[in-house]
Amino acid sequence: MNSLLTFSNWTPEQAQSLLELALKVKQQPQDYTDVLRGKNIIGYFEKPSLRTRLSFDIGVQKLGGHFIYVDTASSKLSGREDAVDMAANMSCWADGIVARVFSHTTLETFVENASVPVVNALCDKYHPCQAIADYLSMYETFGTVKGKTLAYVGDGNNVTHSLLLLGALLGCHQVVVTPEGHEVDEDILAHARSLAEQTQTTITTSNDVDAAKGADIIYADTWLSMGDDTPLEKIKARFMPYQVNSAMMKLTGASHVMHCQPAHRDLEITSELIDGEKSLLMLQAENRMHAQNAVLTTLFA
Ligand code: CP
Ligand code: NVA
């Protein structure tokens, strides 16, 4: 692995190794304190972040490295120069780039023009660092990912895409339930299905929440992703039947609930579930750092 933009070109074996490494990094952090010794990682953020920014900053410190945060809005960097030139300049000083961008093409440009590894910290299409933290959380909760079923309910988005790709590689059956018109990207879905064939895993899509019956985990995300300025009032009535709430947990029989956060209480998920005993939200948040440190260890060790 030279960079991590998506998991689309990974093998099931590579995905399983990363998952196992993430668990090791979490359980034996003392073995990884020199992975980034003397190395500088730039965090280039075009969109806001709480979890990703802080978990990378603190995580890089735990690996012995230094993290430099650049946010394009307050530094007024947007539109000043081409991504081609930014990537080449950043490579002059840094050992790696962690980037949260509006468009996936910016990341592709970074990879082509940077001489250091690039990690996708969320773009319009993918959120791979979230997916590896989520499957680590599932692994710790159930003792396995293989053969379990995760049902994502809501807007088909960047988080859904990364869950589909990595879940297919790790052997997790998946159900994606979205309102009509908010389905996942067809090409990414087709690619995830081709990966799922390698692990004999099923991927089901539906507009009907009944499709999530029998799932082990129900997964929610915001109905409006960053960069989407559709007024909430315009989509609320359409999405409300897809709210992850106790009735849905009862209908599906799922034992746990996940959300990548930021969560909008009592919109896509109820407060009762966020704060309840079925919630894996804080485990997912905690695991962001361990999972990302496994990615950085794979790239730099
Ligand atoms: N889940 C996640 O990426 O959170 P942030 O947007 O706060 O980084
Ligand atoms: N789908 C959300 C995820 C936030 C972590 C977004 O892109 O805003």
Side-chain angles (χ1 to χ4, degrees), residues 48-53 100 127 130 226 260-262 288:
S49 168
L50 179 82
R51 279 147 291 274
T52 310
R53 176 189 177 175
R100 168 167 287 195
H127 197 1
Q130 182 67 50
M226 290 180 278
C260 57
Q261 303 185 76
R288 289 295 305 275

mmCIF file of all heavy atoms in Angstrom, residues 48-53 100 127 130 226 260-262 288, ligand 1:
data_model
loop_
_atom_site.group_PDB
_atom_site.id
_atom_site.type_symbol
_atom_site.label_atom_id
_atom_site.label_comp_id
_atom_site.label_asym_id
_atom_site.label_seq_id
_atom_site.Cartn_x
_atom_site.Cartn_y
_atom_site.Cartn_z
ATOM 1 N N PRO A 48 -14.934 20.720 7.668
ATOM 2 C CA PRO A 48 -14.739 20.620 9.121
ATOM 3 C C PRO A 48 -14.596 19.183 9.598
ATOM 4 O O PRO A 48 -14.991 18.243 8.885
ATOM 5 C CB PRO A 48 -16.025 21.223 9.704
ATOM 6 C CG PRO A 48 -16.816 21.747 8.576
ATOM 7 C CD PRO A 48 -16.263 21.217 7.299
ATOM 8 N N SER A 49 -14.052 19.021 10.789
ATOM 9 C CA SER A 49 -13.892 17.681 11.367
ATOM 10 C C SER A 49 -13.636 17.786 12.860
ATOM 11 O O SER A 49 -12.883 18.653 13.298
ATOM 12 C CB SER A 49 -12.712 16.979 10.701
ATOM 13 O OG SER A 49 -12.367 15.820 11.429
ATOM 14 N N LEU A 50 -14.218 16.913 13.617
ATOM 15 C CA LEU A 50 -13.859 16.757 15.029
ATOM 16 C C LEU A 50 -13.043 15.472 15.163
ATOM 17 O O LEU A 50 -11.853 15.487 15.466
ATOM 18 C CB LEU A 50 -15.123 16.683 15.909
ATOM 19 C CG LEU A 50 -14.805 16.492 17.395
ATOM 20 C CD1 LEU A 50 -14.457 17.808 18.061
ATOM 21 C CD2 LEU A 50 -15.984 15.854 18.127
ATOM 22 N N ARG A 51 -13.709 14.335 14.895
ATOM 23 C CA ARG A 51 -13.097 13.025 15.105
ATOM 24 C C ARG A 51 -11.842 12.799 14.258
ATOM 25 O O ARG A 51 -10.801 12.370 14.764
ATOM 26 C CB ARG A 51 -14.097 11.890 14.784
ATOM 27 C CG ARG A 51 -15.068 11.590 15.906
ATOM 28 C CD ARG A 51 -16.390 11.147 15.350
ATOM 29 N NE ARG A 51 -17.004 12.290 14.706
ATOM 30 C CZ ARG A 51 -17.756 13.184 15.362
ATOM 31 N NH1 ARG A 51 -18.031 13.019 16.615
ATOM 32 N NH2 ARG A 51 -18.254 14.240 14.735
ATOM 33 N N THR A 52 -11.943 13.057 12.966
ATOM 34 C CA THR A 52 -10.833 12.711 12.072
ATOM 35 C C THR A 52 -9.598 13.551 12.387
ATOM 36 O O THR A 52 -8.486 13.036 12.515
ATOM 37 C CB THR A 52 -11.267 12.905 10.605
ATOM 38 O OG1 THR A 52 -12.504 12.223 10.430
ATOM 39 C CG2 THR A 52 -10.232 12.366 9.641
ATOM 40 N N ARG A 53 -9.844 14.840 12.547
ATOM 41 C CA ARG A 53 -8.715 15.736 12.834
ATOM 42 C C ARG A 53 -8.018 15.344 14.137
ATOM 43 O O ARG A 53 -6.799 15.183 14.183
ATOM 44 C CB ARG A 53 -9.224 17.176 12.934
ATOM 45 C CG ARG A 53 -8.120 18.112 13.321
ATOM 46 C CD ARG A 53 -8.598 19.489 13.637
ATOM 47 N NE ARG A 53 -7.465 20.296 14.073
ATOM 48 C CZ ARG A 53 -7.540 21.579 14.336
ATOM 49 N NH1 ARG A 53 -8.674 22.214 14.205
ATOM 50 N NH2 ARG A 53 -6.477 22.237 14.732
ATOM 51 N N ARG A 100 -8.802 15.675 3.670
ATOM 52 C CA ARG A 100 -10.281 15.651 3.615
ATOM 53 C C ARG A 100 -10.698 16.672 2.564
ATOM 54 O O ARG A 100 -10.440 17.871 2.733
ATOM 55 C CB ARG A 100 -10.867 15.996 4.984
ATOM 56 C CG ARG A 100 -12.353 16.264 4.933
ATOM 57 C CD ARG A 100 -13.017 16.300 6.295
ATOM 58 N NE ARG A 100 -13.123 14.965 6.850
ATOM 59 C CZ ARG A 100 -13.912 14.641 7.883
ATOM 60 N NH1 ARG A 100 -14.658 15.558 8.461
ATOM 61 N NH2 ARG A 100 -13.976 13.403 8.322
ATOM 62 N N HIS A 127 -15.041 7.152 2.601
ATOM 63 C CA HIS A 127 -14.504 7.481 3.936
ATOM 64 C C HIS A 127 -13.858 6.203 4.493
ATOM 65 O O HIS A 127 -14.349 5.597 5.433
ATOM 66 C CB HIS A 127 -15.633 7.987 4.830
ATOM 67 C CG HIS A 127 -15.184 8.715 6.059
ATOM 68 N ND1 HIS A 127 -13.849 8.932 6.368
ATOM 69 C CD2 HIS A 127 -15.890 9.293 7.074
ATOM 70 C CE1 HIS A 127 -13.772 9.610 7.498
ATOM 71 N NE2 HIS A 127 -14.988 9.834 7.955
ATOM 72 N N GLN A 130 -13.078 5.657 8.281
ATOM 73 C CA GLN A 130 -14.264 5.362 9.080
ATOM 74 C C GLN A 130 -14.588 3.871 8.984
ATOM 75 O O GLN A 130 -14.861 3.211 9.987
ATOM 76 C CB GLN A 130 -15.450 6.197 8.557
ATOM 77 C CG GLN A 130 -16.714 6.004 9.354
ATOM 78 C CD GLN A 130 -16.592 6.556 10.767
ATOM 79 O OE1 GLN A 130 -16.177 7.685 10.955
ATOM 80 N NE2 GLN A 130 -16.932 5.760 11.761
ATOM 81 N N MET A 226 -21.753 16.751 4.291
ATOM 82 C CA MET A 226 -21.073 18.044 4.137
ATOM 83 C C MET A 226 -20.932 18.366 2.643
ATOM 84 O O MET A 226 -20.532 17.494 1.869
ATOM 85 C CB MET A 226 -19.675 17.983 4.781
ATOM 86 C CG MET A 226 -19.719 17.911 6.284
ATOM 87 S SD MET A 226 -18.060 17.836 6.994
ATOM 88 C CE MET A 226 -17.681 16.096 6.841
ATOM 89 N N CYS A 260 -21.461 6.917 12.320
ATOM 90 C CA CYS A 260 -20.087 7.423 12.223
ATOM 91 C C CYS A 260 -19.902 8.739 12.972
ATOM 92 O O CYS A 260 -18.776 9.071 13.344
ATOM 93 C CB CYS A 260 -19.694 7.599 10.758
ATOM 94 S SG CYS A 260 -20.816 8.684 9.869
ATOM 95 N N GLN A 261 -21.010 9.475 13.200
ATOM 96 C CA GLN A 261 -21.005 10.818 13.793
ATOM 97 C C GLN A 261 -20.261 11.809 12.900
ATOM 98 O O GLN A 261 -19.324 11.416 12.253
ATOM 99 C CB GLN A 261 -20.387 10.823 15.210
ATOM 100 C CG GLN A 261 -21.097 9.866 16.179
ATOM 101 C CD GLN A 261 -20.546 9.999 17.593
ATOM 102 O OE1 GLN A 261 -20.846 10.956 18.296
ATOM 103 N NE2 GLN A 261 -19.712 9.035 17.984
ATOM 104 N N PRO A 262 -20.624 13.081 12.872
ATOM 105 C CA PRO A 262 -21.578 13.734 13.763
ATOM 106 C C PRO A 262 -23.020 13.250 13.557
ATOM 107 O O PRO A 262 -23.463 13.114 12.416
ATOM 108 C CB PRO A 262 -21.456 15.220 13.403
ATOM 109 C CG PRO A 262 -20.918 15.247 12.010
ATOM 110 C CD PRO A 262 -20.043 14.037 11.897
ATOM 111 N N ARG A 288 -11.377 4.984 15.697
ATOM 112 C CA ARG A 288 -10.839 5.760 14.583
ATOM 113 C C ARG A 288 -9.321 5.864 14.706
ATOM 114 O O ARG A 288 -8.577 5.639 13.743
ATOM 115 C CB ARG A 288 -11.470 7.170 14.556
ATOM 116 C CG ARG A 288 -12.922 7.214 14.132
ATOM 117 C CD ARG A 288 -13.122 6.772 12.703
ATOM 118 N NE ARG A 288 -12.302 7.548 11.798
ATOM 119 C CZ ARG A 288 -12.636 8.722 11.281
ATOM 120 N NH1 ARG A 288 -13.805 9.251 11.560
ATOM 121 N NH2 ARG A 288 -11.826 9.362 10.452
HETATM 122 N N1 CP B 1 -16.841 10.495 11.510
HETATM 123 C C1 CP B 1 -16.085 11.554 11.176
HETATM 124 O O1 CP B 1 -15.349 11.540 10.207
HETATM 125 O O2 CP B 1 -16.220 12.623 12.005
HETATM 126 P P1 CP B 1 -15.613 14.068 11.732
HETATM 127 O O3 CP B 1 -16.359 14.649 10.550
HETATM 128 O O4 CP B 1 -15.871 14.839 12.993
HETATM 129 O O5 CP B 1 -14.167 13.938 11.435
#
